[in-house]
Amino acid sequence: MTIARKDLALAIDNQDLRLHYQPIVCPRSSRVLGVEALVRWQHPSEGLVAPDHFIGVAEALDLIVPLGNWVLRQACVDARQWPDLRVAVNVSPLQIRQGDFSATVAAILAETGFDAHRLELEITEATALDNDATSHDAIASLRRIGIRFALDDFGTGYSGLMTLRRFPFDKIKIDRAFMDMSDGEGGDATVILDFIIRLGTALGLTVTAEGVEARDQQDRLVEAGCDELQGFLFAMPMSATDLGLFLAGARTIGTA
Ligand code: C2E
Ligand code: CA
Ligand code: CA
């Protein structure tokens, strides 16, 4: 699919973007602890388009800032319905490099009345390795108002350990590639997974595993002491309305 700048710009202005939310759960009880907001594009002819098709384009065409701001504002508005949940939002390195990123986030929180302590920003190693002082200052000032930072796709970069030393993260999210490897091939992947979980725990970080699809993966992660799980085994990403129904169902099951 080829994307013209004007179409994506129009989609951002016209409210043709949608947010889906995927639950993040407690490993043992499966209780929902929070959700990750994941953007989609409701395209007039292509249907619902996945973010991998347009986030890179938005970055290349200078549209990631308006797109990212829309995502953050919408997530804060939607999440007022779920006062017990934390909300994770993905942030592009290009957003953080803007001089006014922390002011923009603070303004969106004020405008939507959303509590900074419930917001978590997911960044990739590319942002963390960014030597740009602007990014570091923005992250430091956002942490001061209570926003948490998660290192996304942990284990896929080339210097994961160094990143952890340099940067004040609250959480690591283990990339789903490690779930695939541990699924069947045994041995090494399990050792690596155990190591990452122990490392994160020793550093005082919350450790989340992504892409959990099978019960045996859950069992292994529970045994290894992982703090939070996310994946199709528990729930697919879904609309805010469906999440409301999902949570109502989970509460009924939980209290029955
Ligand atoms: P991510 O941040 O690593 O998000 C997790 C992706 O894994 C999501 O794909 C989710 O649907 C998928 N996933 C969740 N559980 C499972 C599972 O059990 N198995 C498998 N195979 N996949 C699972 P999605 O929604 O297509 O998003 C792809 C990527 O697009 C995200 O990866 C993130 O990097 C980016 N993205 C999504 N929303 C935003 C956004 O608002 N802003 C920015 N900058 N990037 C975004
Ligand atoms: Ca993410
Ligand atoms: Ca990820």
Side-chain angles (χ1 to χ4, degrees):
M1 169 184 182
T2 321
I3 297 172
R5 188 179 192 283
K6 69 171 181 5
D7 292 341
L8 186 52
L10 196 67
I12 299 167
D13 282 349
N14 265 359
Q15 310 269 318
D16 286 338
L17 299 180
R18 303 281 178 269
L19 280 189
H20 279 186
Y21 295 91
Q22 186 177 33
I24 298 169
V25 306
C26 168
R28 287 179 190 276
S29 67
S30 299
R31 189 168 69 87
V32 181
L33 304 170
V35 288
E36 177 176 3
L38 295 159
V39 71
R40 279 92 181 82
W41 176 4
Q42 186 64 61
H43 193 279
S45 58
E46 304 281 336
L48 203 61
V49 180
D52 285 337
H53 293 287
F54 63 89
I55 290 292
V57 178
E59 288 176 334
L61 298 178
D62 241 1
L63 289 169
I64 194 68
V65 170
L67 187 152
N69 289 345
W70 180 87
V71 168
L72 186 59
R73 185 174 292 108
Q74 191 61 42
C76 290
V77 169
D78 286 343
R80 285 188 300 207
Q81 307 165 65
W82 317 303
D84 303 333
L85 301 186
R86 271 186 283 111
V87 177
V89 173
N90 293 284
V91 176
S92 156
L94 297 182
Q95 287 175 266
I96 303 192
R97 250 178 254 158
Q98 305 292 312
D100 59 354
F101 181 68
S102 60
T104 303
V105 174
I108 292 174
L109 291 177
E111 181 194 316
T112 56
F114 194 77
D115 179 3
H117 293 89
R118 287 214 283 138
L119 181 64
E120 197 163 83
L121 297 180
E122 296 194 1
I123 63 178
T124 55
E125 213 165 32
T127 311
L129 290 177
D130 206 340
N131 272 325
D132 181 37
T134 317
S135 308
H136 281 249
D137 292 349
I139 291 165
S141 85
L142 291 169
R143 286 189 88 236
R144 275 196 297 275
I145 63 167
I147 294 174
R148 291 159 49 96
F149 279 83
L151 178 54
D152 208 351
D153 307 336
F154 185 78
T156 55
Y158 61 89
S159 62
L161 302 182
M162 207 52 204
T163 313
L164 287 181
R165 273 205 64 195
R166 278 220 208 146
F167 213 83
F169 286 105
D170 302 285
K171 173 188 274 197
I172 51 178
K173 295 189 80 171
I174 308 174
D175 192 76
R176 66 167 180 269
F178 293 95
M179 308 304 132
D180 288 344
M181 284 205 294
S182 62
D183 205 355
E185 285 176 29
D188 294 352
T190 311
V191 172
I192 296 171
L193 207 54
D194 278 352
F195 168 74
I196 297 176
I197 295 169
R198 247 183 298 144
L199 173 75
T201 308
L203 290 171
L205 306 174
T206 302
V207 181
T208 304
E210 309 191 85
V212 183
E213 293 181 352
R215 186 57 207 262
D216 68 317
Q217 293 169 343
Q218 177 184 11
D219 293 344
R220 209 169 302 153
L221 290 158
V222 167
E223 202 177 317
C226 195
D227 300 303
E228 300 179 343
L229 308 181
Q230 179 179 357
F232 297 162
L233 178 63
F234 308 100
M236 305 287 288
M238 59 189 111
S239 69
T241 310
D242 287 346
L243 179 68
L245 296 171
F246 180 86
L247 293 171
R251 257 195 294 278
T252 316
I253 294 162
T255 53

